[in-house]
Amino acid sequence: MLSERDTPIIAIATPPGRGAVGVVRLSGKQLGSFAHQLTQRGLQPRQSHLVTLKDAKQEVIDQVLAVFFPAPHSYTGEDVLELQGHGGAVVLQMLVSHCLWLAKQTQPDGGVCLPGLRMARPGEFTERAFLNHKLDLAQAEAVADLIDAQTQAAVRSAGRSLEGEFSRRVDTLAQALVHVRMQIEACLDFPEEDIDFIQQMQVQSQLLSLQDQLSGLLANAQQGRMLRDGLKLVIAGQPNAGKSSLLNALAGAEVAIVTPIAGTTRDVLTQTIQIAGVPIHVLDTAGLRDAGEADDVERIGMSRAWAQIEQADVLLLLDDLSRHADAAYTQAQSRLRENIERTRTAHTAMLTVLNKVDTVDQTPATGLCISAKTGFGMDALRERILSLAGWQAGLNEGVFTARTRHVQALEQTAEHLAQALAILSHSTPALDLLAEECRLAHQALTALTGQFTPDDLLGEIFSRFCIGK
């Protein structure tokens, strides 16, 4: 019986719905004979052949372009057959059904045409490309990131990762770390000369150099994660502070209703924008005030607002300049700020924004002043949002896509290198502990490209891909 990873697979590789062209893709070992029987002709490798496919009753299903990619020169590293037909949902399903039917038909030798052909799982084509060493894990993840990219900058960064830029930098560090590990392991074999040998080989300077290179790689990865995932920006404040107007100003469109009536916004409104190529998920929340002053629906909205504040990457607390002369307003604003300070986590950066500067005669000497109505100060606000999130504009062009998993692995590597350097700082370093920290650093680093990646993590990664990729 064929294992799960050895069975041939099939899937529709284009999005559901109507379109000019639809693609059905098959991958497996020794697909040549099946392709010949399906198309009733020999297929030259990597050439398009116009064929008419018929069902079991010899009725036409579709006229398609059939392209055969023999192993190992294919996306998955296995034989791949692509059928490029008309992009209708029904006709593509009929092509898939016909392939599944034909695969089960008995041959003159008593076997079936293509044993075990089944529908592919999400991401299984790319998973096979990884397992067959056509891509490393970071490159495989970049395939999904390229598909999901929300900005041009995110597309470019995913392209760099897919070309292997991230992987090459990781491999360079890993090779240097292996060299250091070999030197330390050699010392363990000759304990009477260990300290002198460590000093002669300049292990400490090598680790410091690795630490410096890792710092640059981590900075790039953090930028890449920001491009991939975007930032969650929550706008909070008292009723009528201008939150919905600010959402509209950032979005450049009237996406939220703006009225002078307190409590107009009852629920969380979300709009995704981009600043300098970084996706920003902007959330406009219900006005926050004492629960006793609100009705039941408004209290639900405020509860949801507090939940979003706890999860924000950046929180903008709006302060209405036009009401600074109102003692009740300023007291409520002070209480709101104190409550937010108690609620927000260290993950959330907060910025107080002074809104409605167009309504006052004198601009405050301190603080970020804007007018969501006129657009005054909006460019400065956009720059400050990115700065608070840790975006470094100078790194933008060389950045590659990255995920939380990548950043965490690099941070773990950095922690183990720091521990190794701390051990070396002792007058009599414990070389066995030093070797272990370097081993753990190497393991964390190589998990990025999949050299030491457990199967359950692979399942989690590829399950998030679309079917047919």
Side-chain angles (χ1 to χ4, degrees):
M1 174 180 280
L2 294 173
S3 69
E4 186 81 357
R5 289 180 176 177
D6 291 329
T7 54
I9 54 176
I10 185 172
I12 298 172
T14 42
R18 297 172 64 230
V21 177
V23 177
V24 172
R25 176 183 288 170
L26 297 90
S27 180
K29 298 176 180 178
Q30 300 178 343
L31 285 182
S33 60
F34 174 82
H36 185 276
Q37 190 155 345
L38 176 68
T39 61
Q40 294 298 299
R41 62 175 298 175
L43 300 180
Q44 295 299 313
R46 292 171 294 282
Q47 293 185 16
S48 297
H49 301 81
L50 182 63
V51 297
T52 299
L53 297 184
K54 298 180 180 181
D55 63 15
K57 298 179 180 179
Q58 295 303 301
E59 295 182 357
V60 174
I61 301 173
D62 194 12
Q63 195 174 51
V64 305
L65 288 177
V67 188
F68 182 60
F69 303 89
H73 306 296
S74 70
Y75 179 69
T76 64
E78 303 173 332
D79 288 348
V80 170
L81 175 63
E82 286 195 356
L83 306 174
Q84 303 172 13
H86 294 89
V90 175
V91 68
L92 292 175
Q93 287 291 350
M94 289 175 69
L95 287 175
V96 170
S97 297
H98 179 61
C99 289
L100 291 170
W101 171 83
L102 181 61
K104 297 177 182 178
Q105 300 310 299
T106 304
Q107 301 300 293
D109 61 3
V112 296
C113 185
L114 187 61
L117 179 65
R118 60 175 174 79
M119 296 298 298
R121 300 187 307 270
E124 192 167 5
F125 288 92
T126 305
E127 181 180 12
R128 291 192 175 196
F130 164 70
L131 294 172
N132 292 324
H133 309 292
K134 302 294 290 186
L135 302 167
D136 65 33
L137 191 55
Q139 289 175 299
E141 290 170 302
V143 172
D145 295 340
L146 186 62
I147 294 170
D148 295 335
Q150 303 174 59
T151 67
Q152 291 183 10
V155 167
R156 288 193 293 269
S157 67
R160 294 187 192 102
S161 283
L162 184 55
E163 289 178 350
E165 182 174 334
F166 183 27
S167 302
R168 283 191 292 272
R169 292 183 63 179
V170 169
D171 288 340
T172 298
L173 280 174
Q175 290 172 16
L177 193 49
V178 166
H179 182 67
V180 174
R181 289 185 62 193
M182 289 172 59
Q183 294 173 334
I184 297 170
E185 295 289 344
C187 289
L188 291 174
D189 293 333
F190 302 97
E192 66 278 1
E193 302 176 5
D194 50 8
I195 303 303
D196 291 340
F197 189 78
I198 286 288
Q199 293 173 346
Q200 291 172 8
M201 293 296 103
Q202 298 181 323
V203 169
Q204 186 175 39
S205 64
Q206 291 182 66
L207 289 177
L208 286 170
S209 176
L210 279 168
Q211 193 177 50
D212 185 58
Q213 294 175 59
L214 182 64
S215 177
L217 184 59
L218 180 56
N220 277 124
Q222 289 168 333
Q223 299 274 105
R225 177 176 60 175
M226 210 176 297
L227 280 177
R228 177 185 181 272
D229 297 334
L231 297 174
K232 184 173 183 179
L233 174 70
V234 175
I235 306 173
Q238 294 188 63
N240 276 350
K243 299 182 297 300
S244 296
S245 295
L246 179 54
L247 171 61
N248 291 342
L250 288 169
E254 298 295 320
V255 296
I257 298 173
V258 177
T259 75
I261 302 172
T264 298
T265 301
R266 296 297 186 101
D267 205 348
V268 177
L269 301 178
T270 304
Q271 181 73 19
T272 298
I273 64 171
Q274 58 172 297
I275 302 175
V278 180
I280 311 289
H281 311 295
V282 186
L283 286 80
D284 173 25
T285 60
L288 300 174
R289 57 178 171 175
D290 291 338
E293 301 175 10
D295 59 32
D296 289 343
V297 176
E298 193 177 353
R299 279 194 288 271
I300 294 172
M302 290 193 293
S303 176
R304 293 181 177 180
W306 283 110
Q308 296 299 334
I309 288 171
E310 293 177 0
Q311 301 168 14
D313 295 311
V314 177
L315 172 65
L316 300 184
L317 175 59
L318 286 199
D319 190 353
D320 185 350
L321 283 173
S322 69
R323 289 190 273 174
H324 271 203
D326 183 345
Y329 170 81
T330 56
Q331 290 173 6
Q333 187 73 8
S334 178
R335 291 195 299 272
L336 176 58
R337 183 181 181 86
E338 291 173 359
N339 289 336
I340 288 177
E341 289 287 7
R342 287 195 295 268
T343 301
R344 73 183 181 100
T345 64
H347 166 75
T348 303
M350 187 173 78
L351 174 65
T352 298
V353 179
L354 304 173
N355 191 25
K356 303 185 183 180
V357 68
D358 56 300
T359 65
V360 298
D361 297 329
Q362 187 174 359
T363 303
T366 60
L368 180 58
C369 298
I370 69 163
S371 170
K373 181 179 180 181
T374 68
F376 176 86
M378 291 300 297
D379 288 341
L381 175 60
R382 292 184 180 96
E383 290 179 7
R384 191 65 188 281
I385 288 170
L386 290 181
S387 175
L388 285 171
W391 179 257
Q392 302 176 52
L395 295 177
N396 191 13
E397 287 306 314
V399 76
F400 40 77
T401 192
R403 301 181 172 205
T404 298
R405 179 185 83 83
H406 302 155
V407 173
Q408 290 174 342
L410 291 173
E411 289 174 341
Q412 289 173 5
T413 305
E415 289 174 6
H416 291 303
L417 286 181
Q419 289 291 333
L421 285 165
I423 292 169
L424 270 179
S425 67
H426 297 154
S427 56
T428 55
L431 295 189
D432 53 344
L433 296 180
L434 177 63
E436 177 65 8
E437 290 296 340
C438 289
R439 184 190 70 81
L440 292 172
H442 184 244
Q443 181 173 303
L445 193 60
T446 52
L448 288 164
T449 52
Q451 294 181 38
F452 295 100
T453 306
D455 286 345
D456 55 351
L457 178 58
L458 292 181
E460 170 68 18
I461 289 171
F462 289 107
S463 68
R464 299 179 183 274
F465 279 52
C466 54
I467 294 176
K469 195 58 182 172

